């Protein structure tokens, strides 16, 4: 079963580009981050105030949002409040990008559920990308071929009380779908599901 996973035909990897939304009225900062995320393999959108950011978040549904605080029309904190109030965006991780690094802003960000508080100039753009990845749960999905003829597969089927012949239709094969379940401490864990393809 898993010991055969290095065979090219037994692994199907589907790359889903992680999506990031950058919300900052400082266009220079936003464009710098945009470039770094693009080169890191992300699909990137940028908004230049909180209102535009909220609207874009509801349509784009990014995997992570990086927002400034003080912006015209709607602040970053107001946008976060609106995101939490919408079913489609409530669970999107938000990282606050601060130009001033004030303690009261940090406390407010924590109170509002921000995953991180980044001070401009204290964290490199590459580290911001790395931090973002730690909050994203769907970077890549892997499919490992699951062969019922393999002894490990039969043992797994028995341990989990699968039906005696847990096979797919004649033209399909069974795979274990592995989705990264990234944690804050970079512990490599996965959610596994059995699928027929």
């Amino acid at each position: 079963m898993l010991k055969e996973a290095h065979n090219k035909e037994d692994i199907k990897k589907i790359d889903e580009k992680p999506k990031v939304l950058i919300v900052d009225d400082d266009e220079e900062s936003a464009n710098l981050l945009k470039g770094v995320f693009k080169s890191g393999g992300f699909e990137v959108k940028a908004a230049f105030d909180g209102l535009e950011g909220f609207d874009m978040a509801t349509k784009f549904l990014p995997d992570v949002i990086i927002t400034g605080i003080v912006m015209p029309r709607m602040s970053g904190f107001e946008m976060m409040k609106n995101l939490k109030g919408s079913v489609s965006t409530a669970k999107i991780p938000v990282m606050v990008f601060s130009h001033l690094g004030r303690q009261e802003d940090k406390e407010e960000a924590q109170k509002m559920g921000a995953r991180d508080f980044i001070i401009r100039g204290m964290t490199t753009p590459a580290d911001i990308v790395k931090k973002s990845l730690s909050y994203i749960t769907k970077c890549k999905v892997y499919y490992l071929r699951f062969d019922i003829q393999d002894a490990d597969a039969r043992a797994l089927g028995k341990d989990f009380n699968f039906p005696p012949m847990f096979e797919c239709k004649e033209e399909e094969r069974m795979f274990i779908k592995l989705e990264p379940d990234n944690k804050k401490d970079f512990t490599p864990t996965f959610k596994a599901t059995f699928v027929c393809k």
Side-chain angles (χ1 to χ4, degrees):
M1 188 183 66
L2 295 182
K3 62 180 179 284
E4 298 173 355
H6 62 278
N7 296 336
K8 284 183 185 173
E9 63 196 39
D10 288 346
I11 295 180
K12 291 191 180 182
K13 183 175 88 172
I14 297 177
D15 286 318
E16 294 179 20
K17 276 190 172 185
K19 299 193 291 186
V20 63
L21 173 62
I22 298 160
V23 185
D24 198 334
D25 65 331
D26 182 335
E27 288 192 38
E28 187 181 332
S29 291
N31 288 329
L32 172 67
L33 284 175
K34 195 174 174 182
V36 174
F37 273 100
K38 273 189 176 177
S39 64
F42 281 73
E43 185 179 345
V44 188
K45 299 248 184 227
F48 300 104
D49 64 55
L51 190 61
E52 184 186 12
F54 176 69
D55 183 55
M56 204 174 280
T58 59
K59 293 171 185 166
F60 181 51
L61 295 176
D63 298 304
V64 66
I65 297 171
I66 298 171
T67 183
I69 300 172
V70 179
M71 293 182 285
R73 298 204 295 170
M74 182 186 286
S75 74
F77 290 143
E78 288 173 302
M79 181 190 72
M80 287 175 70
K81 185 178 177 184
N82 289 336
L83 290 169
K84 292 289 180 196
S86 170
V87 175
S88 63
T89 58
K91 293 188 177 178
I92 298 173
V94 178
M95 300 166 67
V96 174
F97 188 62
S98 172
H99 292 268
L100 301 175
R102 298 185 309 181
Q103 184 61 31
E104 56 264 37
D105 288 339
K106 185 175 184 178
E107 288 169 7
E108 182 66 17
Q110 288 172 338
K111 193 169 95 177
M112 298 197 73
R115 294 291 182 93
D116 216 324
F117 187 82
I118 299 162
I119 302 169
R120 182 179 177 173
M122 302 292 282
T123 309
T124 67
D127 283 338
I128 294 172
V129 172
K130 194 185 289 185
K131 281 172 177 270
S132 298
L133 281 169
S134 74
Y135 304 126
I136 295 174
T137 57
K138 65 159 201 166
C139 296
K140 291 180 180 164
V141 177
Y142 300 89
Y143 289 90
L144 297 150
R145 186 172 169 214
F146 185 85
D147 188 349
I148 186 60
Q149 302 306 318
D150 188 271
D152 287 342
R154 288 195 302 272
L156 184 64
K158 184 179 176 186
D159 291 345
F160 284 89
N161 297 317
F162 286 178
M165 293 303 290
F166 52 103
E167 294 181 356
C168 299
K169 293 177 190 170
E170 197 171 310
E171 68 277 5
E172 295 180 328
R173 289 182 175 184
M174 184 173 276
F175 289 84
I176 298 175
K177 179 182 176 184
L178 294 175
E179 298 174 89
D181 186 16
N182 296 328
K183 305 295 183 190
K184 217 170 183 180
D185 59 358
F186 299 98
T187 304
T189 58
F190 291 86
K191 182 176 103 177
T193 314
F194 287 88
V195 295
C196 292
K197 290 178 71 65

